[in-house]
């Protein structure tokens, strides 16, 4: 198993290029199930989750040619409708095949994803919405079995909670449904917006893109001719590297990014005393005179993302004063706290709120990654620690960060990948 060894450093400088967004790529790959053509996807990131989903599609009979610049996915020969436990257990987002497979074949079985390190993460809202669209859903032996022999029908869906993959799943199901589907309280994340835009550009008329009310005009089972598209930049990867610049208090430029998608993250960094210059696709962060404490509540887009909570928690250990970080989306998303405490951070946890007293002197030690974003928080803490930190179980990190150590090395970090 790989691990990362990182040494504390005093400065970082240069440019980091951002890869395509993992969380945009996953629904876009699932969307190819709705296509009648061989779909060309540009700018897929080189991360494990993408390979997992491509493998799932190929297990179902699809074929693909993976290449970072252009990947082709051909689902014309897809003839299996069961996503088995062995794959779903490695990636919960496999649930994204449920909507499109059911819409195309009238049948789909997906292993129940179960909980994960950051919380229970139910999929009840996906299932309820599909039932409203006419699907019959049963849970049998750990599998979701969904059938809709006469196809899905458009209807009015109101989500009780904003769900990102739930919205994506239903948008894809609705794309092939009979008639019009309206989703109220839809997710407005840029990744959902891109899915809707690609479908809309490919002939599935969708109104309200980017708003909380989406109206999807289904094709009544007709497969779609999906136009080539380029995956949007990964806003969470970009935010993570901005935090790297911030924690070392150095000037750093992030390229191939969409600054518009990082509004809440930049606002919090600004409150902490950092300044920026942006162009249409770059952000440069400049050092703060003094790093100030911050109050953060994670919420749905466009508010502060839960996927940036762990990185800001690491950063808050280097701010002067008390920072308060409240996690509103996932009930157990503070596993990184105990590892940061072992490095010397002064953090107390009360329910879903972390109180961070800074500034702490952190020291390198052996730490364990517990989930994807927690892993990057440990890397950030390692950059600013005295001595050496060994970060174990980085398979979590590899699920979503494209060549993290290579990118950080390029701006002066002392970090290497080793084998246990
Ligand atoms: C997606 C992202 C993940 C991010 C999260 C929140 C992908 C592949 N993953 O996850 O990185 O952290 O959005 O921005 O895009 N919920 C229910 N029932 C459901 C579905 C969700 O109760 O059927 C709850 C969840 O437990 C959670 C909240 O709704 O509390 C939001 O979850 P959701 O937006 O669905 O997260 P994911 O789509 O799984």
């Amino acid at each position: 198993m790989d691990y990362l060894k990182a040494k504390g450093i005093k400065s970082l400088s240069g440019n980091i290029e951002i890869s395509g967004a993992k969380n945009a790529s996953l629904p876009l790959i699932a969307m190819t199930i709705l296509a009648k053509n061989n779909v060309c996807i540009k700018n897929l990131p080189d991360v494990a989750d993408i390979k997992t989903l491509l493998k799932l599609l190929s297990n179902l009979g699809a074929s693909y040619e993976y290449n970072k610049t252009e990947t082709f996915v051909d689902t014309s020969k897809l003839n299996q409708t069961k996503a088995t436990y062995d794959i779903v257990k490695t990636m919960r987002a496999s649930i994204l095949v449920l909507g499109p497979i059911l819409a195309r074949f009238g049948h789909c079985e997906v292993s129940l994803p179960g909980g994960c390190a950051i919380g229970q993460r139910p999929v009840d809202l996906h299932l309820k919405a599909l039932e409203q669209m006419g699907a019959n859903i049963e849970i049998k032996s750990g599998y979701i079995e969904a059938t809709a022999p006469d196809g899905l029908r458009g209807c009015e869906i109101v989500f009780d909670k904003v769900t990102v993959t739930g919205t994506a799943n239903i948008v894809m199901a609705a794309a092939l449904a009979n008639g019009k589907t309206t989703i109220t309280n839809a997710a407005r994340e840029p990744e959902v917006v891109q899915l809707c835009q690609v479908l809309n550009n490919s002939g599935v008329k969708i109104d309200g893109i980017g708003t909380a009310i989406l109206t999807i005009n289904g094709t009544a089972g007709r497969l779609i001719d999906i136009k080539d598209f380029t995956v949007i930049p990964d806003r969470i990867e970009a935010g993570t590297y901005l935090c790297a610049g911030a924690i070392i208090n150095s000037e750093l430029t992030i390229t191939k990014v969409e600054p518009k998608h990082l509004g809440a993250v930049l606002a919090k960094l600004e409150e902490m005393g950092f300044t920026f210059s942006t162009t249409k696709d770059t952000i440069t962060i400049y050092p703060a005179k003094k790093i100030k404490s911050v109050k953060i509540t994670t919420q749905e887009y466009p508010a502060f993302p839960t996927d940036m909570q762990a990185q800001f928690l690491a950063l808050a250990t280097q701010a002067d004063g008390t920072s308060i970080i409240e996690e509103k989306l996932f009930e157990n998303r503070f596993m990184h706290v105990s590892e940061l405490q072992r490095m010397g951070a002064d953090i107390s946890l009360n329910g879903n709120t972390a109180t961070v007293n800074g500034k702490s002197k952190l020291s390198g030690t052996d730490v364990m990654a517990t989930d994807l974003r927690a892993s990057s928080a440990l890397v950030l803490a390692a950059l600013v620690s005295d001595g050496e930190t060994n970060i174990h179980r980085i398979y979590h990190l590899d699920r979503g960060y494209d060549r993290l150590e290579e990118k950080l090395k390029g701006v002066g970090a002392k970090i290497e990948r080793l084998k246990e």
Side-chain angles (χ1 to χ4, degrees):
M1 217 189 284
D2 291 357
Y3 71 101
L4 290 177
K5 183 184 281 299
K7 287 192 180 131
I9 45 163
K10 295 281 175 256
S11 70
L12 287 173
S13 68
N15 298 344
I16 297 184
E17 187 178 297
I18 299 307
S19 299
K22 169 183 86 77
N23 285 354
S25 304
L26 293 171
L28 290 166
I29 293 171
M31 178 199 66
T32 64
I33 296 166
L34 307 173
K36 65 176 175 205
N37 58 321
N38 189 6
V39 182
C40 172
I41 311 179
K42 295 175 187 156
N43 200 33
L44 278 182
D46 187 2
V47 299
D49 274 8
I50 299 305
K51 310 280 172 57
T52 304
L53 187 54
L54 288 170
K55 183 169 162 221
L56 168 55
L57 291 192
S58 104
N59 287 352
L60 300 179
S63 58
Y64 65 89
E65 281 167 54
Y66 174 81
N67 182 309
K68 266 195 92 130
T69 36
E70 275 188 348
T71 294
F72 287 88
V73 187
D74 180 357
T75 63
S76 59
K77 297 200 172 62
L78 195 149
N79 57 3
Q80 304 289 313
T81 56
K82 182 168 179 174
T84 51
Y85 176 69
D86 53 328
I87 288 226
V88 179
K89 75 168 193 282
T90 62
M91 191 184 66
R92 300 179 41 82
S94 308
I95 189 73
L96 282 165
V97 302
L98 176 60
I101 290 184
L102 179 64
R104 176 165 158 191
F105 296 98
H107 174 264
C108 183
E109 279 175 79
V110 179
S111 171
L112 269 172
C116 80
I118 65 174
Q120 281 191 2
R121 306 187 76 174
V123 290
D124 56 313
L125 300 174
H126 304 228
L127 304 187
K128 190 174 154 207
L130 290 171
E131 277 176 338
Q132 276 181 268
M133 297 178 80
N136 177 46
I137 298 202
E138 287 182 61
I139 308 293
K140 280 192 198 155
S141 314
Y143 277 79
I144 300 161
E145 189 174 340
T147 48
D150 302 325
L152 295 169
R153 55 168 188 271
C155 66
E156 302 225 345
I157 290 160
V158 181
F159 277 127
D160 286 347
K161 279 189 192 169
V162 176
T163 162
V164 174
T165 48
T167 303
N169 232 338
I170 301 311
V171 165
M172 291 187 280
L176 291 202
N178 294 299
K180 193 191 276 189
T181 303
T182 304
I183 306 175
T184 301
N185 204 20
R188 290 177 289 157
E189 270 66 4
E191 295 76 17
V192 173
V193 169
Q194 180 168 36
L195 173 71
C196 293
Q197 279 167 343
V198 172
L199 284 169
N200 193 54
N201 292 343
S202 304
V204 178
K205 190 168 174 291
I206 303 184
D207 296 316
I209 297 179
T211 74
I213 302 180
L214 293 171
T215 304
I216 304 111
N217 295 279
T219 66
R222 186 174 40 81
L223 295 179
I224 307 159
D225 191 1
I226 294 180
K227 306 277 176 287
D228 297 9
F229 58 89
T230 302
V231 177
I232 55 170
D234 196 311
R235 64 194 166 100
I236 306 302
E237 188 198 16
T240 303
Y241 292 127
L242 288 172
C243 283
I247 205 164
I248 304 294
N249 211 11
S250 289
E251 179 180 327
L252 200 64
T253 298
I254 313 295
T255 65
K256 281 208 183 168
V257 67
E258 175 51 86
K260 274 203 309 274
H261 294 165
L262 282 143
V265 167
L266 294 180
K268 286 297 160 190
L269 287 169
E270 216 156 25
E271 271 177 54
M272 296 181 87
F274 300 97
T275 51
F276 302 94
S277 61
T278 56
T279 67
K280 112 178 159 339
D281 62 356
T282 70
I283 304 174
T284 301
I285 180 168
Y286 301 103
K289 288 200 184 75
K290 181 178 131 184
I291 306 182
K292 294 186 261 186
S293 60
V294 70
K295 272 199 177 143
I296 290 175
T297 302
T298 65
Q299 260 163 342
E300 296 86 9
Y301 189 86
F304 188 90
T306 172
D307 286 350
M308 285 302 304
Q309 178 257 99
Q311 300 89 318
F312 268 74
L313 209 141
L315 174 58
T317 67
Q318 300 309 301
D320 279 319
T322 301
S323 297
I324 312 279
I325 300 184
E326 191 187 1
E327 173 56 56
K328 285 262 186 117
L329 278 105
F330 295 111
E331 67 275 16
N332 194 26
R333 205 172 195 176
F334 279 125
M335 304 271 279
H336 39 290
V337 166
S338 51
E339 295 303 276
L340 291 170
Q341 283 167 334
R342 293 182 53 249
M343 297 174 82
D346 178 355
I347 306 170
S348 55
L349 264 185
N350 185 2
N352 64 345
T353 303
T355 304
V356 189
N357 292 308
K359 171 182 181 176
S360 292
K361 201 167 162 44
L362 302 182
S363 342
T365 181
D366 284 278
V367 290
M368 205 171 72
T370 49
D371 71 63
L372 171 56
R373 306 304 169 186
S375 322
S376 60
L378 297 177
V379 172
L380 295 176
L383 296 179
V384 81
S385 294
D386 281 344
E388 257 177 23
T389 306
N390 295 315
I391 303 152
H392 302 275
R393 300 205 181 168
I394 54 163
Y395 53 86
H396 289 293
L397 194 101
D398 293 336
R399 285 189 38 221
Y401 284 95
D402 187 354
R403 294 167 294 117
L404 172 126
E405 70 275 15
E406 205 180 293
K407 292 190 185 190
L408 281 174
K409 257 194 208 160
V411 292
K414 296 199 172 105
I415 183 164
E416 55 182 333
R417 180 180 286 259
L418 297 165
K419 296 257 177 238
E420 300 277 8

